[in-house]
Amino acid sequence: MTSPASALSNRSLIDIDRDHLIHSVTSFRGHEQHGAIVLESGKGMWLTDADGNRLLDAFAGLWCVNVGYGQDSIVEAAAEQMRKLPYATGYFHFASEPVIRLAGELTAAAPEGLDHVFFTQGGSDAVDSAIRYIVHYWNAAGKPSKKHFIALEWGYHGSSSLGAGLTALGNFHRNFDLPRPWQHHIASPYQYRHPQGDDDAAVIASTVAALEAKVAELGADNVAAFCCEPIQGSGGVIVPPRGWLKALREACTRLGILMLVDEVITGFGRTGPLFACLDEGVSPDFMTTAKGLTAGYVPMGAMFMADHVYQTIADAAPAALPIGHGQTYSGHPVAAAVALEVLRLYREGGLLENGRKTGERFAEHMERIKAHPLVGDVRWRGLLGAIELTPNKATKAVFDASLDIGGRLSKLTYGNGVIVRCFANAVLGFAPALCCTLEEMDMIFERVERSLDQLLDQPDIRATVALQTA
C-alpha cells in the first residue's frame, strides 16, 4: 500500500498546489487553469523559479522584502532567538527581551505621541486591532454613539472581517456582505482621473470637503474615525499631492474624530523616511504597519496607539479588569528579533540612504517613460510608484476589460525577467527593495519598456490605440 507521503512525492508540486492550496486573492478556477509559479530561491533583488529562470523582483515580494532576499544576518538573528527562546506569550504579564526592545525602538522612531504599540501577525490584523481599539476608546470616553468609520475609494486596509469593509475594492466585498452599514467611503485623491485635474490645492480641498460633508451627513456624534493610506497601494499606487495628509490630520482634529493612518505598505523607508507620516509632520491617533517591519522574512505587524487614547482606555476600567483583545503570536520573540535586525540594516546597514539614492534614479526613469505611446500617467514617491496605461493620452481613455491588459503584461514582464505588479486596470506597480543598485534600476526599466513595446506590437492593442486616437 502506498503511503500518503510517497503518493504526494510522486506528484508534481504544480498538481499538489492545484488540488489543495487556496491562494490569496485568486480565482479558484482561474488558478486551476493557470497553475502555480514555483519560486525556489532569492538573493538581493533576484529570484529564481523552479525552471531556473532568474527574475529581477521590482515589487519586493508583495511590497515587503525591503532589504532584499538572502540577508544572512537576519537568518542568524532568527536562529539565535529560536535556540534561546522560540516563543513567549504576551498574556499574563509575560514578555521577552526582543519584543520589549522592539517596542522601545519603534515608538522612539514613530511620529510624536505614538507611544504605545501592539504587535500582530501582519497588516490585516493590525487594522482589525485598530478598529477594535477605536470602538473601545469611544465607549470608554463616554461617547458610545461614535461608531461610524470613513475611508477612501480605492483604499486597501486588509482582508479581515472588519478591515475588508474599509477596503474599497470590489473583490474584497463581493459575496462577503461588505461593507458594513457603519463603513463609508469618500472619493480618492486620484489625481490623474480627478475632476480637479492637476491642481494640488484643489485636490486636497476636495478631499477635506468630502470628509466634512460625510461627517455632517452621518452626524459628528456618530463618527469614530477616518482611515487612509498616505499612498493608496493596492488601489493602483495613487499618490496624493504633498500636504494632503497634513490637511486631513487637521480636518480630523477639527471634526472631533480619530485618524487612523495605514502605513502597512509605506512604512520602513518605502517612501524615503522611516514612516510616510514623518514626511509631513503628521501624528495620527493610530498607525498600522507590517511588511517592511520584518521585510517579509517572518510574519509581523504593529498597531501604534497615541498616548491620549491609551490613557483614556486605561482610566476607564479598574486595574484588575483585562482589556479583551489579544493574539497568541502577538510580540513573538523570533519575529521581534528579526525586526530588530531589519531596523539595524535600514539604519546602520545604509539601506535607507541607498533607497533614497536609488529613488532618484527611479524618478528619472519614471519621467522618461512618460514618452512611451502607451503611458498616460506616472506617479511615485521614494521607491513606490506606478505607470498607468491608456490607448489615448489626450482623452485618458481606459482599455476595455476584455483586452486583459494586466494579464498580458504579467506574462510579458515575466518573460522578460522582471516582476512588477500588473493591476487589472492597466496599471504597473513598482516597489523595488531598498538594496536595489543603480544598475539594477536601469535593468528594471529596460525590461519593462521592452514589455510595453511588445504589448503595443500586438495587433488588437495597436488597433485599439489607432481607433482611440483617430
Side-chain angles (χ1 to χ4, degrees):
M1 180 177 176
T2 304
S3 70
S6 61
L8 287 175
S9 66
N10 291 330
R11 300 173 60 209
S12 75
L13 289 174
I14 305 296
D15 289 336
I16 298 169
D17 173 277
R18 180 180 287 113
D19 290 345
H20 303 294
L21 185 58
I22 298 173
H23 285 249
S24 298
V25 196
T26 303
S27 161
F28 287 9
R29 294 293 181 225
H31 181 71
E32 289 171 3
Q33 296 169 13
H34 186 284
I37 299 168
V38 181
L39 301 173
E40 284 200 342
S41 62
K43 186 68 177 177
M45 286 285 294
W46 296 86
L47 287 167
T48 302
D49 69 15
D51 295 323
N53 298 309
R54 293 191 75 233
L55 305 150
L56 190 51
D57 183 3
F59 204 67
L62 191 68
W63 332 79
C64 57
V65 190
N66 290 4
V67 303
Y69 299 94
Q71 291 278 8
D72 289 338
S73 65
I74 298 176
V75 178
E76 291 164 5
E80 181 181 353
Q81 184 59 45
M82 283 184 178
R83 283 188 289 265
K84 184 177 181 181
L85 181 68
Y87 175 78
T89 182
Y91 285 62
F92 320 122
H93 310 292
F94 286 111
S96 65
E97 180 179 346
V99 73
I100 294 171
R101 292 193 181 281
L102 181 61
E105 287 203 23
L106 287 177
T107 52
E112 185 178 358
L114 293 177
D115 297 333
H116 309 274
V117 62
F118 175 80
F119 291 109
T120 65
Q121 285 88 70
S124 289
D125 51 333
V127 172
D128 187 272
S129 297
I131 295 170
R132 281 174 55 77
Y133 277 120
I134 288 169
V135 170
H136 192 111
Y137 166 80
W138 286 119
N139 287 332
K143 297 183 179 181
S145 65
K146 291 175 80 67
K147 292 291 188 291
H148 290 262
F149 285 67
I150 301 169
L152 293 171
E153 295 173 356
W154 296 103
Y156 181 76
H157 302 290
S159 59
S160 70
S161 294
L162 294 179
L166 292 182
T167 289
L169 302 173
N171 287 336
F172 296 86
H173 294 173
R174 192 178 305 111
N175 291 329
F176 288 108
D177 295 343
L178 292 170
R180 305 285 179 84
W182 48 270
Q183 296 174 322
H184 312 271
H185 299 92
I186 59 175
S188 162
Y190 189 175
Q191 200 152 5
Y192 179 57
R193 300 192 179 279
H194 199 281
Q196 303 297 336
D198 291 331
D199 187 326
D200 289 359
V203 171
I204 293 170
S206 71
T207 309
V208 172
L211 178 60
E212 291 172 338
K214 181 60 71 173
V215 171
E217 173 193 332
L218 297 169
D221 291 339
N222 299 320
V223 178
F226 171 67
C227 177
C228 68
E229 302 159 271
I231 293 172
Q232 293 186 277
S234 293
V237 193
I238 297 168
V239 184
R242 289 191 182 276
W244 178 87
L245 193 66
K246 189 174 184 64
L248 269 296
R249 168 69 273 187
E250 293 168 353
C252 288
T253 301
R254 186 171 63 253
L255 293 166
I257 63 177
L258 298 178
M259 186 184 200
L260 164 58
V261 175
D262 186 340
E263 289 226 35
V264 169
I265 288 173
T266 56
F268 302 102
R270 175 55 57 198
T271 67
L274 198 64
F275 302 107
C277 281
L278 297 173
D279 208 26
E280 295 193 21
V282 167
S283 181
D285 302 290
F286 285 83
M287 184 175 77
T288 52
T289 64
K291 297 191 184 291
L293 173 58
T294 58
Y297 277 60
V298 294
M300 194 179 212
M303 180 216 74
F304 293 78
M305 179 189 292
D307 185 63
H308 75 93
V309 174
Y310 177 92
Q311 299 301 339
T312 298
I313 293 174
D315 289 341
L321 189 66
I323 306 298
H325 182 71
Q327 298 172 349
T328 300
Y329 299 111
S330 176
H332 195 286
V334 177
V338 165
L340 286 168
E341 175 57 19
V342 168
L343 284 174
R344 190 193 69 80
L345 289 173
Y346 287 143
R347 295 160 167 163
E348 298 173 25
L351 287 180
L352 285 177
E353 180 56 36
N354 186 75
R356 284 189 280 267
K357 179 179 68 175
T358 309
E360 294 174 2
R361 182 67 65 90
F362 181 55
E364 292 171 5
H365 279 296
M366 291 292 265
E367 286 286 359
R368 180 186 57 78
I369 209 166
K370 280 199 296 189
H372 192 279
L374 288 177
V375 175
D377 185 44
V378 295
R379 43 191 184 258
W380 72 91
R381 190 166 297 161
L383 285 175
L384 180 62
I387 297 170
E388 183 163 348
L389 307 184
T390 177
N392 188 319
K393 289 174 180 274
T395 66
K396 303 180 183 179
V398 297
F399 284 98
D400 190 278
S402 65
L403 291 170
D404 188 24
I405 298 298
R408 295 189 196 204
L409 280 171
S410 292
K411 294 177 181 177
L412 291 170
T413 51
Y414 196 90
N416 285 316
V418 63
I419 297 175
V420 294
R421 175 78 173 267
C422 299
F423 294 94
N425 57 345
V427 171
L428 284 79
F430 297 80
L434 275 62
C435 67
C436 185
T437 66
L438 298 178
E439 293 75 19
E440 287 168 335
M441 186 62 73
D442 294 342
M443 292 175 67
I444 288 170
F445 277 87
E446 185 275 327
R447 295 177 183 202
V448 166
E449 195 160 11
R450 187 192 315 159
S451 302
L452 293 179
D453 290 341
Q454 291 169 343
L455 179 67
L456 184 58
D457 282 342
Q458 294 179 1
D460 56 345
I461 302 300
R462 189 166 289 280
T464 298
V465 172
L467 181 64
Q468 285 283 344
T469 54

